[in-house]
Amino acid sequence: MAILEITHLSKRYKDVLALSDVSLKVRAGEFVTVIGRSGAGKSTLLRCVNRLVEANSGSIEFDGVQVLTLKKQDLRHLRTRIGMIFQHFNLVPRQTVIENVLHGLLGYKSTLAGVLGFYTAEEKEKAFDILDRLGLKDQIHKRCDQLSGGQKQRVGIARALIQEPRLILCDEPIASLDPGSAKKIMDKLYRISRDLNITILMNLHQVDVAIKYSDRIIGVREGRIVYDDDAQKLKKKTVAEIYGSEAEDILFEEQAG
Amino acid sequence: MSTPPAVSRVLFRRNLLFLAGVVFVGALTVGSSLATDFSFPAGLASVPKAFSWMAVNFIPNARALKALPNIGLKLAETVLVSIMATVLAGGAALVLAIFASRTTRPHPAASAVVRLVASVCRNVPVVAWAMIFLLSFGQNVLTGLLALFIGTVGYLTRAYAEAIDETAESSVEALRASGASWLQTVAQAVFPSVLPQITSWMLYMLETNIRDATLVGILTGTGIGFLFDIYYKSMNYSSAALVVLGIIIVVIAIESTSNALRKVIL
């Protein structure tokens, strides 16, 4: 059953067409990766799903709800069920690990409690449990600007998990990490999708990583979907089509890695 | 490898432009000194004389010491007015900056209006604001306070808005994505992120305002500036000198205090 269904979606920034008539379906629990050159529209596609970017036309259905017509309160409610992880982690660097994780609950709280940062004992316990599972137990009261890149991304994952989301959007989650931390983060996200049955929609630069972890790969070129099939069926010729003149560099990287 | 002719032509034109600029500025300087009857050599020649005059007249003596309590009182008044203007303006600027910033503005139109108002507040000099308020409020403390307040609001609104865009944009995006409301985002992501910059800018404005308050006081007839004006015009130079000494000490004290505070915050 499809948890996310995007139909004929288009987005234009002034004179650039970022997405052009994009349609795709994601099944619940599926691990789907979007690949393509920078500027192909991957990031826009992801941000249209939780409406950080407003699409111009088309429709998005998430878990039976029409996303693009939602009003303010309903949109907030929708967003609580969609987690998001970012390339640059997007934490509040001066706050502690646990404070940043608790931010994931703001959407569920009353405005006043959220503004004042009042969290219940249960909520704090939940944050602690998630951090413990992600191996950050000893870092809980550290400020986030004192963490390594991999640790910061794990805080980002914890912030998304505390929302108890059905879908997590991952925007280049390993692009600013060293190879070792990148592998750990990918393994964590893979386990999350398998163990918690959370759907993952991810933008990725590394084709080999995409093939290794994903159930399905979507290739985007100049705002259009040019490939949408099993990860294992992706051929070099298709990668060349998706990446155009950049393909040689990508394939070389693959051989080297 | 030789430089292509097109490139050297561009370089030549740039040199020519620079030369023209230097000549223009030079001509402007000579022209304006002629127009105002200011002779640079004569001005330079009077420097030793000015210093020897200062050495004789501008030394605090017993008479000046009698004025000390009054000087201290006026100095304190000036400092307090500056602090009050800066803190009030800091609060107002924070609210305005949230409306002005690209990251947190509720609507682009709100941002444009706030930026315009802040720009007017900032670009009209504080002394000019003092003159404007002098007409409606007369010579009193409120006039000076208002002038400092308006100038500071203009300056801080812009500085704060830039601080928000620089440091909070990414975390604001993350909180919005998780369903947090606008107010929650401002309170939980924006405030903690910009707190050090906000304090640092406010301390800087406090230093600036204490200096400006002295000048504004001459106009508004209040504070240490006015006291200097009185002593100077009644040829009580030794007391005027003590005023200057007091201002210098206060400015240095405030600056070193705020530097120490900055180190603690950052």
Side-chain angles (χ1 to χ4, degrees):
Chain A
M1 194 199 118
I3 189 170
L4 179 69
E5 187 167 355
I6 298 175
T7 343
H8 303 305
L9 193 75
S10 292
K11 170 67 186 175
R12 178 181 283 283
Y13 293 109
K14 282 178 187 154
D15 46 347
V16 187
L17 193 59
L19 291 177
S20 163
D21 195 23
V22 167
S23 298
L24 65 94
K25 277 185 195 174
V26 180
R27 286 194 316 276
E30 210 176 3
F31 195 125
V32 178
T33 303
V34 184
I35 59 171
R37 327 165 44 146
S38 12
K42 304 190 299 282
S43 205
T44 304
L45 176 61
L46 232 62
R47 280 168 170 73
C48 281
V49 174
N50 60 4
R51 284 183 49 192
L52 287 179
V53 167
E54 296 289 352
N56 294 119
S57 61
S59 72
I60 298 176
E61 194 181 311
F62 173 75
D63 208 9
V65 177
Q66 284 299 324
V67 173
L68 299 188
T69 50
L70 288 179
K71 294 277 178 292
K72 226 174 181 178
Q73 276 309 317
D74 296 327
L75 176 61
R76 272 189 72 187
H77 182 66
L78 173 95
R79 283 174 173 168
T80 59
R81 296 188 302 148
I82 303 177
M84 190 160 188
I85 295 167
F86 303 84
Q87 175 182 350
H88 301 293
F89 325 121
N90 294 21
L91 307 171
V92 180
R94 291 174 41 80
Q95 286 191 317
T96 61
V97 167
I98 194 150
E99 282 175 309
N100 269 284
V101 175
L102 288 167
H103 284 164
L105 290 171
L106 287 173
Y108 290 106
K109 300 185 79 71
S110 75
T111 297
L112 190 67
V115 165
L116 299 175
F118 287 155
Y119 300 99
T120 64
E122 277 164 53
E123 287 170 333
K124 287 176 198 162
E125 216 163 287
K126 195 168 150 193
F128 181 86
D129 284 344
I130 292 172
L131 285 168
D132 190 15
R133 264 187 281 149
L134 289 168
L136 288 169
K137 202 171 78 180
D138 299 329
Q139 267 73 39
I140 280 181
H141 296 295
K142 255 197 196 164
R143 263 168 56 156
C144 284
D145 48 11
Q146 293 169 338
L147 302 178
S148 70
Q151 288 173 327
K152 283 180 190 166
Q153 194 57 293
R154 276 186 277 161
V155 177
I157 293 174
R159 181 175 61 189
L161 281 182
I162 204 169
Q163 293 177 231
E164 295 185 350
R166 302 224 38 206
L167 165 71
I168 297 183
L169 304 168
C170 307
D171 189 22
E172 303 279 1
I174 57 167
S176 11
L177 298 178
D178 62 84
S181 323
K183 184 176 181 305
K184 275 188 207 153
I185 292 295
M186 286 305 297
D187 288 342
K188 286 265 189 283
L189 289 171
Y190 184 77
R191 289 266 49 103
I192 285 165
S193 88
R194 287 296 175 265
D195 299 347
L196 305 174
N197 197 34
I198 293 174
T199 314
I200 303 265
L201 182 60
M202 179 182 295
N203 288 342
L204 216 52
H205 248 82
Q206 302 86 334
V207 179
D208 51 336
V209 178
I211 293 172
K212 185 177 167 197
Y213 289 93
S214 322
D215 299 316
R216 213 167 96 222
I217 287 181
I218 291 171
V220 180
R221 183 174 182 179
E222 286 164 11
R224 291 173 191 279
I225 292 183
V226 293
Y227 179 85
D228 181 354
D229 209 339
D230 287 351
Q232 305 307 327
K233 288 185 193 157
L234 185 67
K235 300 270 188 315
K236 281 198 175 170
K237 194 173 134 270
T238 322
V239 175
E241 260 172 55
I242 296 168
Y243 283 90
S245 56
E246 271 180 24
E248 272 174 41
D249 304 334
I250 303 253
L251 293 174
F252 177 73
E253 256 175 48
E254 223 178 323
Q255 280 162 3
Chain B
M1 221 169 80
S2 71
T3 325
V7 173
S8 66
R9 220 174 16 247
V10 168
L11 287 177
F12 176 69
R13 203 175 300 155
R14 192 176 292 168
N15 284 339
L16 212 63
L17 214 65
F18 179 70
L19 195 69
V22 170
V23 170
F24 177 72
V25 171
L28 206 65
T29 312
V30 173
S32 44
S33 106
L34 285 178
T36 54
D37 276 335
F38 174 77
S39 149
F40 193 66
L44 210 62
S46 71
V47 168
K49 228 168 71 188
F51 271 106
S52 58
W53 181 87
M54 269 170 70
V56 176
N57 295 298
F58 228 53
I59 299 295
N61 54 19
R63 186 179 171 206
L65 282 181
K66 248 194 284 178
L68 190 60
N70 197 20
I71 292 175
L73 204 71
K74 291 292 179 190
L75 258 176
E77 182 189 309
T78 305
V79 170
L80 289 179
V81 165
S82 309
I83 291 176
M84 201 144 79
T86 312
V87 171
L88 289 177
L94 186 55
V95 175
L96 288 175
I98 286 165
F99 284 86
S101 142
R102 259 184 298 110
T103 313
T104 50
R105 64 186 180 194
H107 194 274
S111 166
V113 171
V114 170
R115 277 172 193 272
L116 183 73
V117 172
S119 166
V120 171
C121 291
R122 189 173 60 241
N123 287 311
V124 174
V126 171
V127 173
W129 281 119
M131 289 171 176
I132 292 168
F133 292 130
L134 211 51
L135 298 175
S136 33
F137 294 98
Q139 279 200 320
N140 59 47
V141 180
L142 183 68
T143 304
L145 185 78
L146 266 177
L148 291 175
F149 173 82
I150 295 285
T152 311
V153 165
Y155 198 86
L156 285 182
T157 299
R158 179 182 162 167
Y160 287 0
E162 273 168 16
I164 292 173
D165 287 338
E166 239 168 64
T167 58
E169 197 175 5
S170 66
S171 48
V172 164
E173 186 186 31
L175 262 61
R176 274 181 64 209
S178 73
S181 69
W182 183 77
L183 265 180
Q184 288 175 340
T185 310
V186 168
Q188 294 295 323
V190 175
F191 279 166
S193 302
V194 296
L195 202 62
Q197 277 115 310
I198 280 182
T199 328
S200 179
W201 276 114
M202 208 148 97
L203 289 171
Y204 169 75
M205 278 319 284
L206 180 64
E207 293 163 28
T208 312
N209 278 344
I210 286 176
R211 289 177 205 131
D212 284 353
T214 312
L215 273 177
V216 169
I218 297 179
L219 278 172
T220 59
T222 50
I224 195 71
F226 185 58
L227 200 61
F228 175 84
D229 205 33
I230 292 176
Y231 289 146
Y232 181 74
K233 283 181 177 153
S234 60
M235 293 191 288
N236 184 354
Y237 297 124
S238 60
S239 302
L242 193 59
V243 169
V244 173
L245 200 67
I247 293 172
I248 292 172
I249 289 170
V250 165
V251 166
I252 291 174
I254 294 279
E255 193 161 322
S256 39
T257 315
S258 74
N259 280 340
L261 272 175
R262 259 191 209 107
K263 266 189 206 129
V264 174
I265 301 162
L266 298 179

